[in-house]
Amino acid sequence: MSITQLILIILAVVAIVWGIYTLLKSIRQKNQDVLATDAIEHDKDGLPIIPRHQRPEPQESQLFKAEITPDNPKGEVKLSADDTELHLDNYPANGGFANATKSANDKLLAETHTFVENENDAFSMLANATETITPVVHTFDENQLKNDSFTDNSPILDTHIQAQIDEEQNSPLNNAIQNINISIFPNQQFVDIKGDYLLELIDKYGLKFGAMNMFHRYENKDGTGLLWFSLMMIDNEGISPFDLNRLPMQTMKGLVLFLSLPHPRPVQGFDSMMSIAGLLANDLNATVYDDTGEPINKENTQAMRELAINFGR
């Protein structure tokens, strides 16, 4: 073993011993702190409780003494459960406790009157302020309200009323169980229907854009009354609703008209659909077909009409 290795071994041993000594010293110091803490007892407020025999004796100047009188020359305080009343006649009248008590009572009474007066003033100020900020509540005669008519429009009420009207108008569409479908296709095979021209015809025959992005024909041409039938387009993807933003630039393969059943007035709805379908086909140089792909004739028209009449009976 060389000298260098010996020195390193000695240094390692010294380091180990020093580490053990430091560890034992820290453990011992921690235990002493815990013992010192445990040696002090505390009450519920965390204050130390000193045993009676370790408490310092009070100085004589801190002791309470009674007034020295001929009957009590040493100023001793005698406490007794049998005598707890305060006898004012034992004290001298001139400058004694009675005068001091009377003076204190008079002062307290004066302060009380002052406080009551100030308090009344404060309540008066508060009442005045409350009257100032309290809003004026106007009442109306019920009979007058019944007789008066409402002339101003209410957007919320108008929207609610319009929603009810739409629900009643579109009740056949919303409650549909079955549809009677007819379609319109141009007579020339490679000719499509142009969207801008279709818009002109739709306006001409009184159809209105509405529920489910479809055009609808209602009882009246202005869009009021019960829903008669609805209109959708046929494009490369099949039967589709309309997009008003794209419709003027679009072309389509054909149109589909359908009557929703049950319908409260099926005859009027069916006849209106067949009539406008014929007008559209004439303007578009097209042909009307039934749901089987057959051109419309008297037989299939009558069959569809009877289906509309007898549905739900």
Side-chain angles (χ1 to χ4, degrees):
M1 182 181 295
S2 62
I3 298 176
T4 303
Q5 292 177 344
L6 183 60
I7 293 173
L8 292 176
I9 292 173
I10 294 173
L11 291 176
V13 172
V14 171
I16 293 172
V17 173
W18 175 255
I20 294 173
Y21 171 76
T22 305
L23 179 61
L24 294 176
K25 184 177 179 181
S26 62
I27 293 174
R28 182 180 179 185
Q29 182 64 33
K30 184 177 180 181
N31 291 336
Q32 289 179 353
D33 295 340
V34 172
L35 293 175
T37 303
D38 294 340
I40 301 176
E41 297 181 358
H42 296 80
D43 64 0
K44 63 179 181 180
D45 296 326
L47 300 176
I49 301 176
I50 302 176
R52 185 180 299 274
H53 65 277
Q54 296 181 1
R55 298 177 185 175
E57 294 293 336
Q59 299 178 4
E60 185 177 357
S61 58
Q62 296 178 346
L63 296 178
F64 177 76
K65 292 185 178 181
E67 184 179 357
I68 298 176
T69 61
D71 296 335
N72 189 12
K74 295 183 179 181
E76 295 178 351
V77 178
K78 296 181 181 181
L79 300 177
S80 174
D82 298 331
D83 188 9
T84 56
E85 296 183 358
L86 180 63
H87 301 283
L88 297 179
D89 52 356
N90 296 331
Y91 293 88
N94 49 352
F97 181 77
N99 291 336
T101 303
K102 184 177 183 302
S103 177
N105 290 338
D106 294 340
K107 182 178 181 181
L108 179 60
L109 183 60
E111 292 178 353
T112 302
H113 286 302
T114 303
F115 173 78
V116 171
E117 293 176 357
N118 294 334
E119 186 178 16
N120 292 334
D121 294 340
F123 278 114
S124 300
M125 295 175 61
L126 180 60
N128 294 333
T130 304
E131 292 177 357
T132 303
I133 64 176
T134 301
V136 179
V137 179
H138 298 284
T139 58
F140 296 91
D141 186 5
E142 183 178 356
N143 296 327
Q144 181 180 358
L145 289 176
K146 292 181 180 179
N147 296 329
D148 291 344
S149 59
F150 294 96
T151 57
D152 296 335
N153 293 330
S154 173
I156 298 177
L157 182 59
D158 293 344
T159 302
H160 180 69
I161 294 175
Q162 186 61 42
Q164 289 183 333
I165 294 175
D166 293 342
E167 179 67 22
E168 294 175 358
Q169 278 188 314
N170 300 322
S171 59
L173 180 64
N174 297 331
N175 303 309
I177 299 177
Q178 183 177 336
N179 296 322
I180 295 179
N181 305 319
I182 57 175
S183 55
I184 300 176
F185 289 98
N187 294 327
Q188 298 182 9
Q189 183 177 1
F190 299 104
V191 175
D192 293 337
I193 300 173
K194 295 182 179 180
D196 54 351
Y197 183 50
L198 177 63
L199 284 173
E200 294 180 8
L201 298 179
I202 285 174
D203 182 66
K204 177 181 178 181
Y205 297 123
L207 280 79
K208 304 297 181 182
F209 186 78
M212 302 181 186
N213 294 332
M214 296 184 291
F215 286 98
H216 308 279
R217 174 56 203 252
Y218 293 93
E219 182 177 356
N220 303 312
K221 193 174 180 179
D222 60 357
T224 60
L226 186 65
L227 171 68
W228 283 153
F229 65 91
S230 303
L231 172 70
M232 299 181 71
M233 70 176 181
I234 302 175
D235 55 13
N236 294 327
E237 299 178 357
I239 300 176
S240 304
F242 293 96
D243 184 351
L244 286 183
N245 296 323
R246 299 173 53 194
L247 183 57
M249 288 77 70
Q250 277 183 309
T251 59
M252 58 209 71
K253 302 295 182 181
L255 301 172
V256 173
L257 295 80
F258 63 92
L259 172 69
S260 298
L261 299 176
H263 197 285
R265 297 166 66 183
V267 175
Q268 292 86 344
F270 179 80
D271 291 346
S272 175
M273 180 178 69
M274 297 302 298
S275 175
I276 293 180
L279 295 173
L280 288 172
N282 183 64
D283 291 334
L284 294 171
N285 189 21
T287 301
V288 183
Y289 299 87
D290 65 5
D291 56 356
T292 64
E294 293 292 329
I296 289 297
N297 52 48
K298 291 183 178 180
E299 289 75 12
N300 54 23
T301 299
Q302 185 62 30
M304 289 186 292
R305 196 169 191 271
E306 291 178 358
L307 174 63
I309 294 173
N310 297 323
F311 185 86
R313 287 188 176 182

